[in-house]
Amino acid sequence: MCTNFLLGVPAVPASSNTVQYLSARCMELTGTLASNLYRVPAQQQFPLFSNRSHSWTGTYGFVGIADPQSMPEFACFVDGINEVGLSCAALWLPGTQYPSAHGGAHDALEFSDLGAWAMSQFSSVADLLLALPNVEIVGPPSTAKTYLPLHFIVTDSSGASVVIEFIDGATNIYPPDYDNGATSDGVLTNAPPYDWQRTNLASYDHLRVEGNGTSTSAKAGPPVGSGLLGLPGDIMSASRFVKAATFRKGFHLLPSDGAGWLPTAPKAGATDSSQTVVNVAMQMVQMIQATPYGTALIKAKPPSIHPTVGDWTMWQVVRDHSNFAYYFSSAFNSSLQMVDLTTVDFGGGSVKPKELKSIPIMPGSSTWYTDVSSGFA
């Protein structure tokens, strides 16, 4: 289970970017998945490992999350962002069926290389869409060891997004103009497929994030949040899609110049739009997903009488497409970590996979709390 969404807010203090675009997602799986954030240089040679993908040389450097345990023989970047603000996220889509045979009319691209292909070569969704017809994305059958049922969302620094899925052996592409710009919210969860989720969302069009009162109102009236009456509260994919699409609406109703709300009031402690919205995005993705460790269990299988831990939120990220930064935290280390891509050296040319430098996300390597006991001294 995974959830992705996009926020567009005014950049405060004002900068050359009038709108700051940030996207966020979380990763849920069963078991424990080791995850490292890799630095992939510009001019990297792909694919990293021999498969059906055509060969190419990357133009842009990027940071991407992959499993270090499988990296020696299978590279699949499930999330990341490149040095010019284009990201690619892979989310779980049960029922995915990839095109299985390469017909030869176009360059073949293994599904596991889609993230690296997008982030290493493109600065915009528009350019990626021009290149997609020239490749044939292929993948193994569901019985194969390397099969992962994934769909993808790519977002650039202009806030444009495209969703790519593989249903019944066909590639389905949902570009920025799909359904009157539906992909502009950057919302993606899991099954059913994307077009079903957009249709289902229409059933919740009555939901409103604005109301008539607050918790400090002295007069009796509609309770706070009454406009959200009927908002799904469970962790099912369809419910998370509705929650993500609904909660993000509030930012588009506030003053477009940030007046009165960005940054927050001085006593709240935020100093600019980045501090405000990155932290809000982290809170939103946790609230929308809401699957702490041990809260979604798998029924006991005889002879055992005890259930086991099922899906849980392992890590969450925020991607700043405007300022080229990548934030992350993990389930048992909520201390926010940041990579400033403008300070990362993506030079040096192509390297072997085992030489790619990385930062551990899970398990985390940094201190998981700050001891402030001395503050009473």
Side-chain angles (χ1 to χ4, degrees):
M1 299 192 300
C2 312
T3 301
N4 190 94
F5 59 85
L6 177 69
L7 302 177
V9 300
V12 178
S15 66
S16 57
N17 298 314
T18 56
V19 179
Q20 183 176 359
Y21 289 104
L22 302 98
S23 60
R25 70 83 59 93
C26 51
M27 169 67 84
E28 284 76 32
L29 282 176
T30 300
T32 303
L33 178 67
S35 302
N36 280 17
L37 182 67
Y38 288 86
R39 186 210 67 163
V40 182
Q43 306 304 312
Q44 176 67 41
Q45 299 294 313
F46 295 97
L48 293 178
F49 302 96
S50 179
N51 54 29
R52 289 181 289 178
S53 290
H54 72 285
S55 61
W56 79 91
T57 301
T59 300
Y60 302 105
F62 66 89
V63 294
I65 297 178
D67 177 6
Q69 296 175 337
S70 65
M71 182 59 84
E73 56 186 22
F74 178 76
C76 181
F77 294 105
V78 296
D79 200 273
I81 188 171
N82 71 15
E83 58 184 312
V84 291
L86 182 136
S87 70
C88 184
L91 287 76
W92 205 256
L93 181 61
T96 291
Q97 183 181 346
Y98 299 103
S100 59
H102 178 224
H106 307 290
D107 289 332
L109 181 66
E110 198 74 35
F111 82 101
S112 54
D113 285 330
L114 181 54
W117 180 79
M119 291 187 289
S120 69
Q121 295 193 99
F122 303 104
S123 62
S124 70
V125 166
D127 287 344
L128 181 142
L129 287 170
L130 290 175
L132 271 175
N134 300 320
V135 298
E136 182 180 0
I137 301 169
V138 296
S142 60
T143 54
K145 181 180 179 180
T146 56
Y147 172 79
L148 296 172
L150 302 177
H151 58 169
F152 299 81
I153 183 166
V154 180
T155 301
D156 66 22
S157 60
S158 74
S161 295
V162 58
V163 173
I164 305 170
E165 296 184 336
F166 309 93
I167 306 298
D168 296 328
T171 301
N172 296 336
I173 299 172
Y174 301 94
D177 60 355
Y178 169 73
D179 194 18
N180 296 316
T183 64
S184 63
D185 60 14
V187 175
L188 191 64
T189 56
N190 311 112
Y194 186 69
D195 56 351
W196 185 98
Q197 300 280 12
R198 299 305 319 189
T199 300
N200 181 64
L201 182 62
S203 299
Y204 297 88
D205 189 57
H206 63 282
L207 297 176
R208 295 289 181 270
V209 294
E210 70 270 35
N212 296 319
T214 71
S215 57
T216 59
S217 299
K219 296 181 180 180
V224 178
S226 59
L228 292 173
L229 183 64
L231 180 74
D234 58 78
I235 63 173
M236 299 289 287
S237 173
S239 298
R240 287 183 280 111
F241 198 101
V242 173
K243 285 188 284 187
T246 301
F247 284 140
R248 65 176 301 282
K249 288 181 178 179
F251 291 98
H252 299 278
L253 300 175
L254 294 166
S256 60
D257 61 356
W261 67 284
L262 279 177
T264 58
K267 288 185 179 180
T271 58
D272 58 20
S273 57
S274 292
Q275 184 179 357
T276 302
V277 183
V278 167
N279 280 278
V280 168
M282 277 289 188
Q283 295 166 26
M284 284 178 61
V285 77
Q286 293 172 6
M287 178 175 63
I288 292 165
Q289 180 56 51
T291 315
Y293 183 81
T295 61
L297 304 181
I298 303 172
K299 289 183 178 180
K301 296 181 180 180
S304 174
I305 61 172
H306 299 291
T308 56
V309 175
D311 285 27
W312 53 285
T313 305
M314 297 184 182
W315 48 257
Q316 46 273 320
V317 305
V318 172
R319 322 172 194 96
D320 190 333
H321 300 271
S322 301
N323 296 313
F324 313 143
Y326 195 77
Y327 300 83
F328 62 89
S329 66
S330 58
F332 303 110
N333 189 345
S334 59
S335 178
L336 191 61
Q337 312 293 310
M338 188 268 273
V339 173
D340 183 349
L341 276 73
T342 66
T343 67
V344 175
D345 182 5
F346 287 107
S350 185
V351 299
K352 296 179 179 180
K354 64 181 180 181
E355 296 173 353
L356 290 172
K357 294 182 178 180
S358 67
I359 299 170
I361 291 180
M362 187 169 174
S365 59
S366 61
T367 304
W368 63 276
Y369 65 89
T370 301
D371 187 344
V372 297
S373 306
S374 60
F376 292 112

